[in-house]
Each structure stands twice: as C-alpha cells, then as structure tokens.
Amino acid sequence: MKKYILKILLLFALVAVGDILFGICMKHVYGSIKSGGQGRNNYIANELEADLVVFGSSRALNHYNTKLLQDSLGMTCFNCGEDGNGILLAYGRLWMLKKRYTPKTIIMDITPSFDLHKSKDGMNMEWLRPFYDYDGIKEIFQDLDSNEKYKMLSSCYKYNSFFFLRLSSYLFGSELEDKGNGFFPRKGTMNPKKKNILKDLPVEYDSLKIKYLNKFIDLASDSKLYFIISPVWYDLRESREKEIKSLKTICENKSIPLIDFTNDLKFIGNDSLFHNGTHLNNKGADEFSKDVVRIIRQSVAK
C-alpha cells in the first residue's frame, strides 16, 4: 500500500515538474514570437505606442484603415481590433498600453452582441491568457470565472491555445512587418445569395460587459474617446435603438461621443461596399475611414 501511495506521489511530482518546465519554455516561446497573430499580440502588449488606437471586434479590425487615418490626421495610428473579441480584450489591451503611455485618441468600435449583450460573443480570452500574470489582467479572468486562479496554476492550461501554431511561428516565423498598421481589410463584394436574415431577438444586457465598458471609459479618461458603431448592410434602424439604449445612457452621463452609422443610407443595402452583411470590404472600409477622419476633424475644431 505504501509503495502504491509513493508511486502516485512520484507521478504527481513528475507531472508538476513537467508542467513548470513546460511553462518556462512556453513563456519564452510565446514572448519571442515576432510574426503572425501572436507576434501582433506581443507587439500590442509590449511595444505599441501610437497617437490613435482602435479597439473592437473583427468589425474594428476590418473597418478602420489606420494607414488612411494616419495620413489624413497626421497622427500615428494602430488597429487593435480582434476577431471574436470585444470589450474584455479591449480593456485588457488598453490596460497594458497605459502601463507604457497614454494614447491621445481612442476609438472603441461597438458591436452590441460583443460589447453589451448577454451572449458568448466577445468572451474568448486566448489573446490575454499568456499575460495573465500582468497586474490588472488577472481581474478579468477571475470576473469571468472564479476558478480561473486555480486553472492558471497549470502552465498547460495557460498556454494551450493554438499551441502548435504558436510553436510553428516561433520556429519558422519571420519578423513582424505590419504595413497596414494593424488593419486587415476584407476583399470581394457581397454575394446577394448569402445575405443572412437577422432575427429581432430580445435584448438582455450583460452586467460583466457593462462593467468593463465603464472600466474602459475610466481607463481612457486621459484620452479623447469615441464610441463608434460602424456600418452594417442591414437596415437596423428600428431595432438598433433598444440594442444600444444602455450604451446611450452611459455615454450621455459621461459625455462620451457616440457615433452610430446604423442609419447611414450611404451604406445600408450597398452591396459594393460590403464583404458580407456585417463586414465592409476594402472599398467600404476606405469610405468609412474617410467619414471617421471627418468626424475627428470636426470634433477637434470645436
């Protein structure tokens, strides 16, 4: 019996040591990657210093031509938008930026399901997981799941997101060269046969997302902050009001500009400017970015 217990204890010890060694190795691997998505993630977390920074979901990533914004506004710009993410990642990335410097201007592109509503949208934390030990990042994970503090004791859990892809980037990736300043346009026009019908679903706000929306506003208090809802192909003029009612109240109370392009007839139903129903193509992104330039110029002129 004693031998059996000793073998089990030895096994647990070997697993623990292996996990620790794996963590040391992967911390170096993840931190050293200079290419691909993780290279971009590391750059945002540890190096980025731009005058104007854009946050949000894939709609931010695909809609804001930061090179055009930079050339038109005469300020350095970078797009921190990320597929499948929203206000939680935006807060975490802004927190890491603020440890180094304060952006002059911040744009948060709002997608209601990712940033306001109760849904699984925007709850993917893979890009923040490698930075869990940074002060301020732990809080996000623990707010999501009180058991995260125990799960994060395992390096295998912390670094399991796309492990082989990250290892490949480390071994074979090149230096990050981002000529688009973080902007990734979608090409091709909308296929009329693939227009999804959006259902008018009941709106339920997510208290955690609203909490971090407010924390984002407080964190951005030393910058000029804009909340922008970028265009969609669909005519949502009737449903949008209830979708963003809570956001409008927050913005009014805190004097935050809220610019909603939902009602912009230039974009509604314009197949030539969209890749699909919720994402502009490269032509649409350029057209929209020019509108953003105009809005910022008008705001500065006041």
Side-chain angles (χ1 to χ4, degrees), residues 4 24 31 36 40 57 61 82 97 130 160 183 234-235 275:
Y4 180 71
I24 293 171
R40 179 175 180 270
S57 66
L61 184 68
E82 198 70 62
L97 289 186
N160 71 349
F183 165 61
Y234 307 97
D235 187 343
H275 174 81

Side-chain angles (χ1 to χ4, degrees), residues 65-129:
N65 184 336
T66 33
K67 186 68 168 62
L68 187 154
L69 294 174
Q70 180 169 288
D71 292 344
S72 301
L73 295 171
M75 60 172 68
T76 55
C77 302
F78 196 87
N79 192 322
C80 294
E82 198 70 62
D83 283 343
N85 286 270
I87 192 62
L88 297 182
L89 177 65
Y91 173 81
R93 283 183 165 172
L94 179 58
W95 190 93
M96 288 187 281
L97 289 186
K98 288 294 294 284
K99 296 295 286 185
R100 296 193 305 279
Y101 86 109
T102 299
K104 294 178 181 177
T105 303
I106 295 171
I107 293 173
M108 178 67 204
D109 185 89
I110 296 292
T111 300
S113 64
F114 285 81
D115 305 312
L116 303 172
H117 299 165
K118 203 168 191 62
S119 74
K120 293 182 179 179
D121 293 337
M123 308 301 268
N124 183 349
M125 302 299 289
E126 68 176 80
W127 295 111
L128 283 182
R129 192 169 282 130

Side-chain angles (χ1 to χ4, degrees), residues 150-168:
Y150 304 114
K151 296 176 183 178
M152 283 293 184
L153 293 174
S154 168
S155 297
C156 290
Y157 176 79
K158 183 185 294 185
Y159 294 108
N160 71 349
S161 298
F162 302 104
F163 167 73
F164 290 106
L165 183 61
R166 302 291 187 266
L167 188 59
S168 176

Side-chain angles (χ1 to χ4, degrees), residues 40-50 53 55 78 80 92-103 131 134 137 219:
R40 179 175 180 270
N41 196 37
N42 289 340
Y43 174 73
I44 293 170
N46 300 316
E47 299 180 50
L48 171 63
E49 291 191 17
V53 184
F55 294 98
F78 196 87
C80 294
R93 283 183 165 172
L94 179 58
W95 190 93
M96 288 187 281
L97 289 186
K98 288 294 294 284
K99 296 295 286 185
R100 296 193 305 279
Y101 86 109
T102 299
F131 308 111
Y134 283 41
I137 303 300
L219 193 59

Side-chain angles (χ1 to χ4, degrees), residues 229-238 260-274 280 287-288 291 294:
I229 302 175
S230 52
V232 292
W233 180 90
Y234 307 97
D235 187 343
L236 301 179
R237 285 172 288 182
E238 291 185 8
D260 185 3
F261 278 82
T262 304
N263 298 321
D264 197 315
L265 297 177
K266 176 171 61 176
F267 293 98
I268 294 175
N270 190 338
D271 294 357
S272 67
L273 298 180
F274 284 87
L280 297 165
E287 189 68 30
F288 169 64
D291 289 336
R294 173 179 52 78

Side-chain angles (χ1 to χ4, degrees), residues 14 36-37 83 89 128 133 135 137 173 181 189 213 275 286 298:
L14 289 173
D83 283 343
L89 177 65
L128 283 182
D133 293 324
D135 291 336
I137 303 300
N181 296 43
T189 55
L213 188 79
H275 174 81
D286 287 351
Q298 289 175 346

